[in-house]
Amino acid sequence: MELKEKIKEIGREVKEYSIKSKEDLESFRIKYLGSKGNLKALYQDLKSVNNDLKREFGQLINQLKIETETKFDSFKGEINSSSKSSESKQGIDLSRPAADTPLGARHPLAVVRNEIIEIFKRIGFNVSEGPEIEDDWHNFSALNFPPEHPARDMQDTFFIENGAREMALRTHTSSVQVRVMENSKPPIRTISPGRVYRNEAISARAHCFFHQIEGLYIDKDVSFADLKQTLLYFAREVFGEKTEIRLRPSYFPFTEPSAELDVSCTICNGKGCNVCKYTGWLEILGCGMVDPNVLIAAEIDPEVYSGFAFGMGVERITQLKYRVNDLRLYSENDLRFLKQFKSAY
Ligand code: 2NL
């Protein structure tokens, strides 16, 4: 057969060739592209062709070589994709890096709680925690609540039947501080953050649970001036260094004297606006000197030691810092609400 015919013949064969397996692919390679294959033979034949035809035939063989190699590559692609796992057949690329997981945001109450904890840690307070289900002693009696106090009523407190013993969901974290006083000796400087419960109908302004941070400082010679200066420091750390405070007389069973702390309105700086109801002041917490009866209940001698205490609602501070005006938003887990606190710490 003339060389030109041979080249055409092999070209047709390659075009029509089909394979089904890896083995077929290898036979194809050996037959046409191998060191003893058809193309090598054609190049051998080229050597004995007349010089005036060498160029033309050489180009034809080169062309055929490219076609054969292309065919080989596409066969190889077919074989590889059909032998791959079912994941890759479905178009799943297991080597692909995972999509980013969007980072959540800390809950605004946690942001504010953490900030308050840090503020008090800086002046030597530690953090104490305790049970949410409490006995009457730690939630009421040790805190100087008289037996007929309205807070002990079913209307105000969630009571729990626990065999013979009546327990309650704590109504304040003072119960934690009673435990601290019972279990350690002064000086005591502690803050107790945590969830507390009240038996109330849920509305924008009231909820059956909320979050509290209470503080307690007991040592020799602790005075009302210490209380006032500590709370001034706290108010300025939370609301800014220009914040002013004022104390108004109040009443709590566990402190005497007791007071309510107002800060100058964070919106209008005391000039008067609808947030402070044109008073220039916002109430943020209750406080006072620890009642001697409370010290006695914890076996701390009121003749030697005195102390101050305070309690605040984390929701209230958060409301003032972030303008959240409906308490229900805090526990609905609405992402549109929660996402707004991504930048907070
Ligand atoms: C409020 C007022 C207050 C305390 C909590 C306290 C704790 C012990 C002894 C005495 Cl162990 N007092 N805590 C004192 C005054 C006020 O909370 O309105 N909280 C939301």
Side-chain angles (χ1 to χ4, degrees):
M1 206 192 294
E2 212 197 316
L3 183 56
K4 197 168 184 178
E5 268 313 304
K6 248 190 188 169
I7 297 170
K8 277 190 184 161
E9 175 66 25
I10 295 172
R12 269 195 296 278
E13 266 181 48
V14 167
K15 220 174 223 158
E16 280 159 28
Y17 209 99
S18 75
I19 61 158
K20 285 197 177 69
S21 63
K22 257 193 168 127
E23 288 71 23
D24 290 352
L25 175 70
E26 184 59 2
S27 333
F28 177 83
R29 190 189 67 79
I30 292 166
K31 185 169 182 189
Y32 297 102
L33 299 165
S35 57
K36 293 188 180 109
N38 284 340
L39 280 155
K40 265 273 152 54
L42 290 177
Y43 283 113
Q44 276 304 315
D45 293 348
L46 187 62
K47 286 178 183 163
S48 50
V49 166
N50 277 343
N51 271 346
D52 51 351
L53 290 174
K54 256 202 179 113
R55 194 182 150 82
E56 185 199 343
F57 283 13
Q59 277 177 352
L60 284 175
I61 299 171
N62 283 343
Q63 182 64 35
L64 177 60
K65 192 178 176 227
I66 292 169
E67 280 168 23
T68 311
E69 284 170 340
T70 310
K71 188 87 179 186
F72 176 77
D73 285 342
S74 82
F75 279 158
K76 203 171 160 183
E78 264 174 58
I79 293 292
N80 280 344
S81 69
S82 66
S83 69
K84 270 189 193 158
S85 61
S86 61
E87 283 89 355
S88 62
K89 272 192 199 146
Q90 292 162 23
I92 298 169
D93 176 2
L94 291 177
S95 66
R96 191 179 156 179
D100 282 356
T101 309
L103 204 56
R106 225 183 262 294
H107 193 281
L109 293 176
V111 172
V112 171
R113 176 203 59 205
N114 291 351
E115 186 182 342
I116 295 171
I117 287 174
E118 288 309 314
I119 290 170
F120 282 105
K121 273 188 176 173
R122 288 203 283 276
I123 54 169
F125 281 74
N126 62 18
V127 176
S128 48
E129 286 181 301
E132 293 190 8
I133 300 172
E134 268 295 7
D135 50 47
D136 176 274
W137 171 255
H138 292 98
N139 196 70
F140 294 124
S141 297
L143 287 159
N144 199 36
F145 280 81
E148 294 305 318
H149 193 280
R152 292 171 177 258
D153 199 301
M154 298 271 288
Q155 240 89 67
D156 296 295
T157 304
F158 289 117
F159 287 96
I160 290 170
E161 217 54 73
N162 176 29
R165 216 153 155 226
E166 194 175 64
M167 305 285 280
L169 297 183
R170 67 184 180 195
T171 57
H172 40 216
T173 55
S174 321
S175 55
V176 178
Q177 304 188 312
V178 171
R179 291 174 181 278
V180 173
M181 288 191 289
E182 286 173 339
N183 297 322
S184 55
K185 287 189 158 51
I188 291 169
R189 263 187 242 107
T190 194
I191 53 167
S192 314
R195 184 173 285 184
V196 301
Y197 300 84
R198 304 271 167 97
N199 192 356
E200 284 194 71
I202 296 168
S203 73
R205 301 167 59 95
H207 211 294
C208 59
F209 64 79
F210 61 98
H211 299 82
Q212 220 191 5
I213 296 185
E214 289 210 16
L216 177 70
Y217 179 22
I218 298 175
D219 203 350
K220 289 174 178 157
D221 302 321
V222 175
S223 71
F224 200 89
D226 297 321
L227 168 64
K228 196 172 168 184
Q229 201 62 29
T230 303
L231 294 179
L232 177 63
Y233 155 78
F234 164 72
R236 290 186 171 170
E237 289 292 309
V238 174
F239 296 110
E241 58 188 23
K242 296 209 165 63
T243 307
E244 296 296 339
I245 62 165
R246 75 175 183 187
L247 287 157
R248 283 177 292 106
S250 186
Y251 175 80
F252 302 108
F254 30 75
T255 45
E256 183 61 35
S258 304
E260 225 103 39
L261 181 82
D262 296 345
V263 292
S264 50
C265 180
T266 52
I267 299 300
C268 63
N269 293 323
K271 288 182 198 72
C273 68
N274 62 350
V275 173
C276 61
K277 307 219 174 63
Y278 300 94
T279 61
W281 296 97
L282 300 164
E283 183 185 322
I284 62 159
L285 58 78
C287 58
M289 300 307 291
V290 179
D291 192 291
N293 288 339
V294 174
L295 295 175
I296 290 165
E299 294 177 3
I300 294 173
D301 186 349
E303 300 294 331
V304 181
Y305 294 104
S306 58
F308 68 70
F310 54 87
M312 67 187 96
V314 182
E315 279 81 353
R316 171 74 178 153
I317 310 290
T318 309
Q319 176 197 6
L320 295 175
K321 270 184 89 85
Y322 294 107
R323 318 244 62 81
V324 177
N325 53 17
D326 189 325
L327 280 178
R328 291 167 294 195
L329 286 166
Y330 291 123
S331 48
E332 279 171 351
N333 281 340
D334 186 328
L335 287 178
R336 291 169 301 179
F337 171 71
L338 296 173
K339 273 179 178 170
Q340 296 174 49
F341 299 90
K342 278 201 167 176
S343 59
Y345 87 87

